[in-house]
Amino acid sequence: MTQEMSAKEFIARRIALELKDGDTVNLGIGLPTLVANYLPPGVTLMLQSENGFLGIGPVPEEITPIGQPRVVNAGGAPCSIIPGGSTFDTSISFALMRGGHLDACVLGGLQVDENADLANWMVPGKSVPGMGGAMDLAVGAKQVIVAMEHTAKGEKKILKKCDLPLTAKGRVSTLVTEKALFRFHDGKLVLEEYAPGVSVEEIRAETEASFIVSDKLKEMVISQVGL
Amino acid sequence: MKSKRLEIDKVASFLHDGMTIMYGGFMGNGTPPRLIQAILDSGVKDLTMIGDDTAFSDATKGPEGVGLLIRNKRIRKMITGHIGLNKEAQRQMIAGEMEIELCPIGSIAERIRAGGSGLGGVLTPTGVGTSVEDVPQDLTVNGQKYTKKPVFNINGRDFLYETPLRAELAVLEAVQADKAGNLVYYTSMRNHNPLMALAADTVIAEVHQIVEVGCIDPDHVMTPGVLVDYLVYPK
């Protein structure tokens, strides 16, 4: 990892290479949203906004004031809809998720465990924002990519068993941190990539979950867009 | 044809303490501001509100939506999916001043759709194996009592049973209506509004523009006018 780049940017740059041209994708709020900034040339996604449309476009130059009809994203922030986009009600929007119509979703994470369980929606006694659409996304998208820093202030986040309330059981397909990329194969956690300068021993020391080291283990390559 | 027009000062006649109300909107986008204000002005309290989220407590970030009723302590219970951007909702929940039943947004939408469609509920994979199962229930299935949401294994896959939702009143926002109540929504403002139009005893829609019957192409109607009892619109 380069000195200047934040862990979040590094993770977003790696995930940008996971998505294929033409994929229908939901990017969660926060770190996952950054992924759209680093898509390589020639990769165009149809981004879903869970509040009811496909084709998230850029923030418009002129923002319509609050109280007048306007397009907002799932976080309530003004945005636009690209040509070719479509709008629908919440039932259709979540049918797209649960029904397996999304090629991938990218979600933030608080904890992931070796059973592919994800916890990302609440910290009892501290933060109870609600699960919003996270549970529907995690249960339904064809690929569930978790974007998460490897540890939090020294606390391990990749565990044998999540101890925070779960978002979904057994649904994580890929986990990307600033140190490693893991995939779940047949229910087993497999280390497939390490970040430049990070050893397998270091990853093991910062990971509580048991994992297999892939026989195709390689150094992580990230999107170079704008570098 | 009987007029569906409702003056805003007559909304109070549909309200009473302790009633259940559905409100359209997603982060306040598509929540009818004048109808929420009218509910506040009527003085009703102990409401049960069903909707996507609790919108914004910081008015510079977005509309306050149902938050107006939260801030003024008119709500006893909410069934909603997200309260993260409303600090007052979080405070009232933690302090025990307001009951909040958190439910995944996709499940809320389908529970409302089921309630409005004559269905017995929803079987969803969402929430299986999570604390969503543990929301207290007063439920009898085939004579058996359940105090939490039952999980049914159907052909090898687990599904959580979610009850249908209905309300005494739904308050909706649409960008355009004709005088027969046919509604057109604008982009992200549609969200739960068409589902709620099915699921309440009385449906009131606040619209930005009213047009004569026949001006909206039937193919462009998003909520059939027969579902809409009353329209609140500008002069």
Side-chain angles (χ1 to χ4, degrees):
Chain A
M1 198 174 108
T2 57
Q3 292 296 314
E4 309 80 43
M5 195 182 290
S6 70
K8 285 181 175 152
E9 179 179 337
F10 184 86
I11 294 165
R13 285 180 176 278
R14 175 61 191 86
I15 292 173
L17 300 184
E18 285 291 290
L19 305 169
K20 289 184 269 315
D21 187 37
D23 277 357
T24 305
V25 176
N26 186 301
L27 301 176
I29 289 169
L31 198 174
T33 308
L34 299 177
V35 171
N37 299 338
Y38 306 119
L39 296 171
V43 175
T44 305
L45 304 178
M46 185 60 89
L47 292 175
Q48 187 207 20
S49 193
E50 71 180 40
N51 53 330
F53 61 97
L54 280 165
I56 302 176
V59 179
E61 280 178 23
E62 269 187 48
I63 306 274
T64 306
I66 293 167
Q68 289 180 31
R70 61 180 195 168
V71 193
V72 302
N73 64 22
C79 68
S80 59
I81 302 178
I82 61 169
S86 51
T87 63
F88 29 78
D89 67 41
T90 316
S91 174
I92 298 281
S93 192
F94 282 73
L96 290 173
M97 301 178 190
R98 265 189 265 95
H101 307 285
L102 299 184
D103 295 296
C105 69
V106 182
L107 295 170
L110 295 169
Q111 295 175 340
V112 170
D113 71 25
E114 62 190 46
N115 304 308
D117 296 352
L118 168 67
N120 81 345
W121 72 278
M122 88 180 263
V123 182
K126 279 192 183 160
S127 162
V128 191
M131 67 291 283
M135 289 188 177
D136 295 286
L137 276 170
V139 91
K142 283 184 195 155
Q143 250 208 94
V144 176
I145 301 169
V146 175
M148 169 174 105
E149 292 184 57
H150 206 100
T151 55
K153 295 174 188 140
E155 290 248 334
K156 289 175 186 170
K157 299 171 73 175
I158 308 170
L159 305 174
K160 291 196 174 302
K161 194 169 180 16
C162 294
D163 54 27
L164 291 173
L166 292 183
T167 305
K169 282 181 81 72
R171 289 292 307 164
V172 177
S173 7
T174 304
L175 168 61
V176 181
T177 78
E178 76 283 15
K179 294 179 189 288
L181 181 146
F182 298 92
R183 289 187 211 276
F184 285 90
H185 292 291
D186 303 324
K188 296 264 194 302
L189 183 62
V190 180
L191 174 67
E192 293 199 347
E193 300 177 15
Y194 53 91
V198 177
S199 66
V200 173
E201 289 68 36
E202 183 180 339
I203 293 167
R204 219 179 272 288
E206 297 191 5
T207 306
E208 186 196 86
S210 309
F211 60 85
I212 298 164
V213 177
S214 169
D215 51 12
K216 293 183 189 124
L217 180 73
K218 61 181 183 189
E219 186 174 277
M220 204 186 285
V221 173
I222 62 169
S223 165
Q224 298 296 307
V225 170
L227 290 180
Chain B
M1 190 175 66
K2 185 170 161 266
S3 170
K4 293 192 174 185
R5 179 164 204 183
L6 183 69
E7 298 300 333
I8 194 76
D9 59 1
K10 298 287 189 296
V11 171
S13 64
F14 296 92
L15 304 173
H16 63 85
D17 287 351
M19 75 185 296
T20 300
I21 303 175
M22 288 179 181
Y23 60 98
F26 201 117
M27 297 312 298
N29 183 243
T31 302
R34 294 174 70 202
L35 289 173
I36 297 292
Q37 183 69 48
I39 294 169
L40 177 72
D41 293 345
S42 77
V44 285
K45 57 183 192 301
D46 298 326
L47 301 172
T48 295
M49 301 295 291
I50 301 171
D52 190 84
D53 57 70
T54 52
F56 293 90
S57 51
D58 176 352
T60 63
K61 300 252 168 68
E64 190 176 22
V66 75
L68 184 67
L69 301 176
I70 296 171
R71 182 157 57 83
N72 287 284
K73 304 197 173 163
R74 300 304 176 81
I75 302 176
R76 185 184 67 77
K77 179 182 179 180
M78 294 204 62
I79 301 175
T80 188
H82 197 262
I83 62 171
L85 293 174
N86 190 318
K87 290 197 174 72
E88 177 60 13
Q90 296 206 33
R91 189 198 68 72
Q92 288 188 20
M93 181 176 79
I94 290 164
E97 295 169 18
M98 175 171 65
E99 183 188 342
I100 294 196
E101 177 186 329
L102 287 170
C103 184
I105 290 172
S107 300
I108 291 179
E110 289 306 312
R111 291 174 72 185
I112 294 168
R113 201 173 68 85
S117 309
L119 298 175
V122 182
L123 289 171
T124 176
T126 305
V128 169
T130 76
S131 60
V132 174
E133 289 182 5
D134 302 328
V135 174
Q137 304 288 303
D138 179 13
L139 187 66
T140 305
V141 180
N142 289 336
Q144 192 182 335
K145 295 267 184 205
Y146 287 87
T147 53
K148 54 181 256 180
K149 295 176 185 174
V151 174
F152 294 101
N153 186 279
I154 296 168
N155 289 334
R157 190 176 183 198
D158 284 340
F159 293 90
L160 195 57
Y161 172 76
E162 295 272 10
T163 54
L165 290 173
R166 282 193 63 86
E168 293 165 86
L169 175 68
V171 291
L172 315 181
E173 184 179 21
V175 75
Q176 189 185 56
D178 68 18
K179 288 182 175 172
N182 290 305
L183 302 182
V184 176
Y185 306 99
Y186 178 72
T187 64
S188 56
M189 295 168 73
R190 189 179 333 184
N191 55 69
H192 297 269
N193 281 296
L195 308 169
M196 291 174 172
L198 291 160
D201 302 337
T202 302
V203 175
I204 307 177
E206 174 181 337
V207 303
H208 292 249
Q209 184 192 44
I210 188 84
V211 297
E212 294 300 325
V213 171
C215 291
I216 304 174
D217 186 323
D219 279 339
H220 295 171
V221 172
M222 298 174 183
T223 292
V226 296
L227 298 174
V228 179
D229 299 301
Y230 298 100
L231 295 167
V232 169
Y233 53 87
K235 301 230 179 292

